[in-house]
Amino acid sequence: MPLQPPPLRHLGPGADLGVKEAEAALVEHYPHLVRLAYLTLPPSLGRHRRVLAAHTAVQRALRGRARTAPGPGAAEVPAPRSGSATGTGNAAYAAVRLTVVRSALAYARRPRWWPDRMPAPAALRPSLPVVRGLRLFPRAGGMDEFALDRALADVPAAVRAALGLCLLESLSGEAARALLADAGVTDPADAVRSAARVAGDDHERVRLMLGSGEFDPCTVQTRPGDLLRRRHRVRAGAAALALLVVAGGLAVTVGRDSDDAPSPTAARRATVPGGALDPAALERTPPEQWADTSRVDFSAWPARGGRLDDRDLLGRALRSWAAPRADVIVTAAPGTAAVAPTQPPQLLFAGDLDGRAVVLFHDGGVRVVRYTEPLAGKGAPTLDLARADDADVTTAAALAVSRTATSARYLLAPWVAESATRDLLAPDTPARPLDVDGDGITAAVPRPAEGGACGSWPAMQLRSSEKIVEKHAFLVTDLGDLAPVHLTHTPAPGSGAPSRQPREATGADGLVGWARTACSLRDLRGSGVRSVNHWQFAVQPLPGTSSTADWVCSRADTWRGPGRALVQFVPPAAAGSARAEVVADRRDTALCSRFGQHVVAGTHWRSPAGEWYVLAAGSRAVRRVEVTGSVHGAAAGPTLAVRAPQDAPFRVTAALHDGGTASSAR
């Protein structure tokens, strides 16, 4: 029979809690407390340090002195349930939990004079457990868990703690506020309100995600650390020790006048025109950091390529960026500043490819820059700049390193585990594996034709590593910018179903939807597009037939902010790739985004019997549609069909369930 921890006796508020009572509560609920600490700790620590810090915060909760039980509000403990704490009024557990939360919150606190780039003082204290030679990280969850983790990285630690207390601990808002106040939070009420906004309407769904393996620091995966860097450190340590011995001997013979001589490092820096243009100062991310960071974007890319140590090439690239010569062809994506870096950029790639030397930089989370020059013969150097702020797993998945009129080659992100190509106009054709070399450079990927017939639309289908998100495949396509565009899909709402969120377009419905609308992406080429969502906002029965037509809004979001919406009518067609009809094109608009969810549109349509109609449809919030102008008609619900002459002018208006209105001119 397994041993059980001793029963916890009931202690009233203000009672002294002995170490034994606290130890019993900690042992019994250790996994629960560590999960709460892990959720509260700053994601900027990285997953390895965050796991260790969570265990440290819980193990530090035991002290060799008595503690005072918290007041009635903070001592509220949920009723027993699977995976939660036990016993209402269990003051020992409440006291340990308070200490854990207070310790975890300390990792985010910095004195005013503390440098921003340094970890908080609490993160610098020696702690147990200590792990050497291994990296620990929780098991990867799904895309929803990953998105929640990203959202939590953008809120203060007090909000993360409040979310854990309310959802994992099942505390009431009043009890959570009391505990946070005892833990030193200056505005606990605001933290609880912000946590409620993060959870949204579906608290149970968020509770299940917080209880998943993504946020469980007790069930972890391991991998070796950076073995090559460890070897270099050992060698560097030995060399430094030898140098110290030699320097000590020289110091005896040099004398006091040597104190005024500048150091070799200072002399070298004095000859550099600017630190940002010094190849030796380039930032280089460790090869395995992408799997242990809360920022899965270009900043997590390691430096790759065969010319990483070619200072001449790197220097030419940096100088061309700062002050391009007359022969350098400079191209900047819309909204991208073509100015010199203000600090040393991050080096992503340096190597030879397809007859040119290629260098890729990442500039402080804001821009990506590509410099190329011919290896031999004729050809001008090129400099391409593009926005890269707020990139993520999908939008930082690849960068074009070489491009011709018919194909492109990409450097893939280190988290891309599988790659393939497919034709969006042939949704039933399986994706074809794409060859990738040891540096992450793909074989040539066909590009969509810029003119003429739209007979195919190539795209890459990528899958991310399970180290960061489980079973996540996504589509990207080339629209002429440095980073390919992420394609998503939002299916039509079911009857009475809640609004749906964009999802990856790799499923059957997403591929079939994009087969009819992919050719409209031509209109977006070279406009700095970040992602395009295919939203099927309405399904309309066609008069005189048993068929239906889809109404789709293709929402293109740009890196610089403004979006563009193409509203398209998709009638039945003999060919599954027949092009849809664009009925509205709105630029610099919020239409079809989460800030513009009410859409209504109309078009002319000819039935198989030769009769002309005005068809109109609205999104799920529309309760009534009306057509005015040369055509008059109204109908309850989100769709309307009215007999009308060909090309008769009309205007569509709609009444919404919340009392508002929406309109769209054809």
Side-chain angles (χ1 to χ4, degrees):
M1 181 176 178
L3 295 175
Q4 299 291 332
L8 303 178
R9 58 189 177 88
H10 179 83
L11 299 175
D16 286 339
L17 301 179
V19 175
K20 291 184 178 180
E21 287 85 359
E23 182 182 13
L26 187 150
V27 170
E28 182 177 358
H29 306 297
Y30 186 82
H32 206 69
L33 291 165
V34 175
R35 186 186 293 266
L36 178 61
Y38 182 83
L39 175 63
T40 305
L41 287 164
S44 58
L45 291 174
R47 290 191 289 178
H48 173 76
R49 292 181 59 201
R50 197 175 170 195
V51 166
L52 296 180
H55 288 273
T56 298
V58 175
Q59 294 176 19
R60 280 178 178 167
L62 290 181
R63 295 288 187 264
R65 62 180 186 276
R67 291 187 172 274
T68 301
E76 177 188 318
V77 180
R81 74 167 193 267
S82 175
S84 71
T86 62
T88 302
N90 189 335
Y93 176 74
V96 173
R97 179 177 58 193
L98 171 61
T99 305
V100 168
V101 171
R102 183 184 290 126
S103 179
L105 289 171
Y107 277 78
R109 295 195 181 110
R110 288 179 169 87
R112 291 183 178 180
W113 49 268
W114 196 261
D116 291 338
R117 292 182 176 268
M118 288 187 63
L124 299 177
R125 289 184 292 178
S127 62
L128 295 174
V130 174
V131 176
R132 294 187 179 277
L134 288 176
R135 306 292 291 176
L136 310 179
F137 54 95
R139 300 184 65 86
M143 191 59 194
D144 290 342
E145 287 82 359
F146 179 78
L148 176 61
D149 191 40
R150 292 273 298 186
L152 292 176
D154 295 331
V155 301
V159 177
R160 295 192 297 271
L163 189 69
L165 293 172
C166 293
L167 296 187
L168 293 177
E169 298 291 298
S170 298
L171 294 187
S172 66
E174 179 182 0
R177 288 192 294 271
L179 191 151
L180 292 172
D182 287 345
V185 175
T186 55
D187 192 350
D190 180 69
V192 173
R193 287 193 299 268
S194 299
R197 288 194 294 270
V198 171
D201 297 330
D202 196 347
H203 286 200
E204 190 59 33
R205 176 171 171 268
V206 177
R207 188 198 311 274
L208 291 174
M209 287 193 287
L210 291 178
S212 68
E214 180 87 20
F215 299 94
D216 183 7
C218 289
T219 305
V220 298
Q221 294 177 308
T222 64
R223 69 173 186 276
D226 191 339
L227 301 178
L228 185 60
R229 191 201 294 179
R230 190 190 312 168
R231 184 182 179 189
H232 288 168
R233 283 175 176 172
V234 172
R235 290 183 174 181
L241 181 61
L243 183 63
L244 185 62
V245 172
V246 173
L250 290 176
V252 176
T253 61
V254 169
R256 294 183 59 184
D257 291 341
S258 63
D259 293 342
D260 298 327
S263 67
T265 300
R268 178 176 55 83
R269 288 179 178 173
T271 64
V272 177
L277 305 181
D278 182 2
L282 289 171
E283 298 286 342
R284 302 184 187 221
T285 300
E288 290 297 323
Q289 182 168 312
W290 63 269
D292 188 26
T293 179
S294 62
R295 284 190 60 184
V296 187
D297 57 15
F298 291 113
S299 66
W301 280 35
R304 289 171 285 178
R307 300 182 67 176
L308 296 178
D309 297 323
D310 189 336
R311 296 192 59 178
D312 291 338
L313 172 62
L314 299 178
R316 288 194 300 273
L318 290 168
R319 290 190 296 273
S320 295
W321 182 359
R325 304 185 309 273
D327 63 331
V328 178
I329 301 173
V330 180
T331 304
T336 306
V339 297
T342 58
Q343 58 186 6
Q346 176 190 352
L347 179 61
L348 303 181
F349 179 83
D352 297 337
L353 192 67
D354 299 336
R356 297 184 73 88
V358 181
V359 182
L360 289 176
F361 298 114
H362 178 233
D363 183 22
V366 178
R367 296 176 294 178
V368 286
V369 178
R370 181 183 65 195
Y371 170 81
T372 74
E373 63 182 27
L375 295 177
K378 298 181 179 180
T382 65
L383 183 73
D384 299 282
L385 304 96
R387 293 277 290 269
D389 34 334
D390 296 324
D392 57 21
V393 173
T394 56
T395 53
L399 286 175
V401 288
S402 174
R403 181 180 279 130
T404 67
T406 58
S407 66
R409 299 180 67 184
Y410 296 90
L411 176 64
L412 298 182
W415 57 80
V416 173
E418 293 180 7
S419 56
T421 61
R422 69 180 316 135
D423 182 3
L424 293 184
L425 302 192
D428 296 330
T429 302
R432 296 173 296 278
L434 176 62
D435 292 335
V436 181
D437 70 14
D439 281 330
I441 301 291
T442 69
V445 178
R447 295 185 62 202
E450 297 187 8
C454 184
S456 67
W457 196 277
M460 285 194 297
Q461 182 168 308
L462 308 177
R463 186 182 67 79
S464 56
S465 168
E466 293 184 357
K467 291 182 179 180
I468 58 170
V469 59
E470 187 175 5
K471 297 179 181 178
H472 179 216
F474 52 96
L475 293 178
V476 294
T477 192
D478 186 355
L479 289 185
D481 294 311
L482 285 182
V485 175
H486 180 211
L487 303 180
T488 57
H489 167 68
T490 304
S495 177
S499 60
R500 300 185 179 183
Q501 299 300 314
R503 59 196 64 185
E504 300 304 342
T506 52
D509 291 344
L511 293 173
V512 169
W514 271 110
R516 298 292 305 274
T517 57
C519 289
S520 64
L521 294 172
R522 279 184 173 180
D523 298 332
L524 305 174
R525 193 184 301 274
S527 56
V529 174
R530 169 196 181 105
S531 61
V532 184
N533 181 47
H534 174 281
W535 175 28
Q536 186 182 359
F537 66 85
V539 178
Q540 179 168 24
L542 296 176
T545 74
S546 59
S547 303
T548 60
D550 293 335
W551 288 88
V552 172
C553 184
S554 298
R555 166 78 189 187
D557 287 312
T558 63
W559 289 98
R560 65 189 184 280
R564 182 176 174 183
L566 300 175
V567 180
Q568 303 182 68
F569 177 67
V570 190
S577 59
R579 189 167 182 175
E581 175 192 359
V582 177
V583 300
D585 183 355
R586 298 292 183 84
R587 300 169 186 260
D588 297 336
T589 179
L591 190 68
C592 303
S593 72
R594 59 175 177 162
F595 303 111
Q597 301 180 17
H598 306 315
V599 184
V600 62
T603 189
H604 288 96
W605 175 76
R606 186 181 182 183
S607 72
E611 297 174 335
W612 283 96
Y613 290 83
V614 165
L615 303 181
S619 51
R620 64 186 303 274
V622 171
R623 65 174 180 83
R624 184 175 183 274
V625 180
E626 182 177 3
V627 174
T628 57
S630 298
V631 183
H632 293 273
T639 62
L640 167 69
V642 181
R643 289 281 301 272
Q646 181 181 4
D647 297 330
F650 65 90
R651 180 179 177 83
V652 184
T653 58
L656 308 178
H657 286 294
D658 62 3
T661 60
S663 63
S664 176
R666 182 176 183 269

